[in-house]
């Protein structure tokens, strides 16, 4: 009996079973920007995934709101076109039809009270059929930041439920620099409390990012070697194999640093480097993340490498995109090195790299350890831990072992935890599914807090202003061919921070020693 009880409780994290204010019934979800790309590609497929698997309240209704005029047929086609059902599974097909029945649409502006009042009449009509106390509302803003404040204000004035819980989910970008982010934060706080606000960074919903806390703090073997005494350098890498493809106008306004480094990769960095929290409760985790950010000074210009892709291999360059301003110097590749001034990480470089039109699609963390003491071995490979976030989630540790056979020679190999091989029957949820479910639960641990956002902008704002020419002449990004690894200077850039590239003969994973 005791052993059964032990197995049932094995691995439980008590502080994550806290008393969240979960919305379990009588709940409406209003998706603003329902006609946009983000809503149709991410928000609605995630809501469907939760609905299909029974994670949404049984009586949930989803209301789309946007300026575009659409009838129900057009609306339902738009919100379901990115739901995956390649095999035409009849169960999924039936669920899609059910899902359409709980989704309605209202067209209106983002700054006129009369349109919000019309929306309120629609919400009230739906809620009139709810039974029991409490009428809850989640407002999801799949919108550009230019309309955040007008919508937040209009919702609080006209659509705030006085009979239940209210939550507002805000998508990035949260401003363009420290000043604009502070204005956005202050504007939202005029109408919505921090407890009601959920700022989404979808990387915090990715399985391997959520696994970092368990990997670090549930494994003493790893955590004891997680500091400046053993780690030489850390790289956090984001690679896309495609360019702007007609979206250059939007990209040119924000750039690679705002689009990826300041938010996604910095969030990964904080979880990777934070101290052990008191518990896994939301505020305890976010407190430790903020402590890390406060120890990172603004990035120096000498710690930055910028690039812009040019035409190659039959693919157009960035400036060949008609939507990109002529002569733009906007970087499509950026590598920045951050330094954490605390006892654990002093002197360890953290290299954040992101780029478009590169040689592959990949997001990973690569922790490279220091050299072993010299004298016994010659030219032996460094240990590395690689956490692959996408594609093909995996954790592998590059280590040295004796080559099998009569010869005594060290060779690099790996301890490999590839998810699709180890967990054959596991379905890894989409990041948006995990985060929207957390918003229903009221769990803030995977959302960005206001002071966290402020500290992250302070790190990046000076180099952003430099890149935009606010402090003298703009830097010129180095050209790199479409489909390459990035600028030619990249290898020298990482090498100067102590990174030693693996022997070219080593490829993960090695399964045949005859290839060595």
């Amino acid at each position: 009996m005791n052993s059964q009880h032990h197995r049932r409780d094995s691995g439980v994290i008590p502080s994550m079973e806290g008393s969240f204010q979960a919305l379990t019934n009588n709940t409406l979800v209003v998706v603003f920007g329902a006609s946009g790309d983000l809503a149709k590609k991410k928000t609605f497929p995630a809501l469907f995934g939760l609905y299909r698997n029974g994670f949404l309240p049984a009586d949930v209704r989803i209301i789309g709101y946007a300026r575009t005029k659409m009838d129900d047929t057009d609306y339902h086609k738009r919100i379901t076109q990115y739901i995956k059902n390649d095999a035409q599974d009849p169960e999924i097909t039936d669920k899609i039809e059910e899902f359409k029945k709980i989704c309605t649409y209202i067209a209106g502006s983002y700054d006129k009270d009369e349109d919000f009042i019309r929306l309120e009449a629609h919400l009230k009509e739906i809620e009139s059929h709810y039974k029991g106390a409490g009428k809850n509302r989640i407002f999801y803003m799949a919108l550009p930041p230019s309309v955040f404040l007008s919508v937040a204000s209009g919702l609080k004035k006209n659509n705030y439920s006085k009979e239940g819980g209210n939550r507002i989910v805000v998508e990035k970008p949260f401003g363009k620099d420290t000043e604009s982010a502070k204005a956005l934060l202050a504007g939202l706080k005029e109408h919505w409390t921090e407890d009601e606000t959920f700022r989404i960074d979808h990387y915090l919903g990715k399985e391997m990012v959520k696994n970092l806390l368990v990997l670090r703090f549930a494994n003493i073997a790893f955590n004891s070697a997680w500091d400046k005494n053993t780690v030489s350098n850390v790289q956090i890498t984001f690679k896309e194999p495609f360019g702007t493809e007609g979206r250059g106008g939007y990209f040119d306004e924000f750039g690679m640093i705002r689009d990826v480094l300041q938010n996604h990769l910095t969030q990964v960095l904080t979880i990777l480097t934070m101290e052990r929290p008191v518990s896994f409760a939301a505020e305890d985790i976010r407190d430790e993340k903020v402590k890390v950010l406060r120890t990172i000074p603004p990035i120096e210009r000498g710690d930055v490498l910028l690039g812009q892709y040019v035409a190659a291999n039959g693919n157009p360059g960035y400036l060949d995109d008609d939507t990109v301003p002529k002569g733009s110097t906007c970087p499509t590749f950026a590598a920045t090195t951050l330094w954490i001034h605390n006892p654990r990480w002093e002197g360890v470089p953290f290299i954040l790299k992101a780029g478009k039109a590169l040689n592959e699609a990949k997001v990973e963390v690569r922790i490279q350890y220091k050299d072993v003491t010299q004298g016994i071995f010659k030219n032996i490979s460094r240990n590395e831990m690689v956490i692959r976030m996408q594609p093909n989630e995996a954790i592998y540790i590059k280590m040295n072992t004796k080559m099998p056979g009569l010869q005594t020679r060290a060779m690099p190999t790996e301890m490999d935890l590839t998810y699709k091989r180890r967990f054959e029957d596991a379905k890894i949820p989409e990041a948006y599914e995990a985060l929207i479910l957390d918003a229903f639960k009221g769990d803030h641990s995977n959302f960005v807090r206001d002071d966290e956002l402020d500290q992250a902008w302070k790190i990046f704002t000076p180099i952003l202003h430099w890149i935009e020419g606010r402090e003298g002449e703009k830097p010129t990004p180095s050209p790199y061919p479409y489909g390459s690894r990035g600028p030619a200077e990249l290898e020298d850039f990482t090498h100067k921070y102590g990174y030693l590239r693996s022997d070219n003969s080593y490829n993960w994973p090695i399964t045949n020693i005859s290839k060595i």
Side-chain angles (χ1 to χ4, degrees), residues 369-404:
Y369 292 91
K370 293 183 176 181
D371 290 320
V372 297
T373 303
Q374 298 301 304
I376 300 176
F377 302 103
K378 181 181 178 182
N379 297 332
I380 194 166
S381 297
R382 284 180 170 181
N383 295 147
E384 292 183 350
M385 176 186 284
V386 179
I387 303 162
R388 175 74 59 87
M389 295 168 195
Q390 65 183 51
N392 302 324
E393 293 87 348
I395 302 169
Y396 64 93
I397 299 172
K398 197 175 109 179
M399 54 181 283
N400 295 298
T401 188
K402 176 188 171 296
M403 180 183 289

Side-chain angles (χ1 to χ4, degrees), residues 141-187:
M141 293 170 58
L143 294 167
S146 57
V147 295
F148 278 178
L149 296 185
S150 64
V151 173
S153 172
L155 287 174
K156 186 62 183 284
K157 180 179 179 181
N158 301 292
N159 306 110
Y160 192 85
S161 174
K162 298 177 177 61
E163 302 176 64
N166 294 270
R167 287 168 192 168
I168 186 165
V169 181
V170 185
E171 279 279 356
K172 80 169 186 74
F174 312 118
K176 296 184 72 175
D177 55 16
T178 302
E179 186 178 344
S180 60
K182 281 184 175 179
L184 193 57
L185 287 170

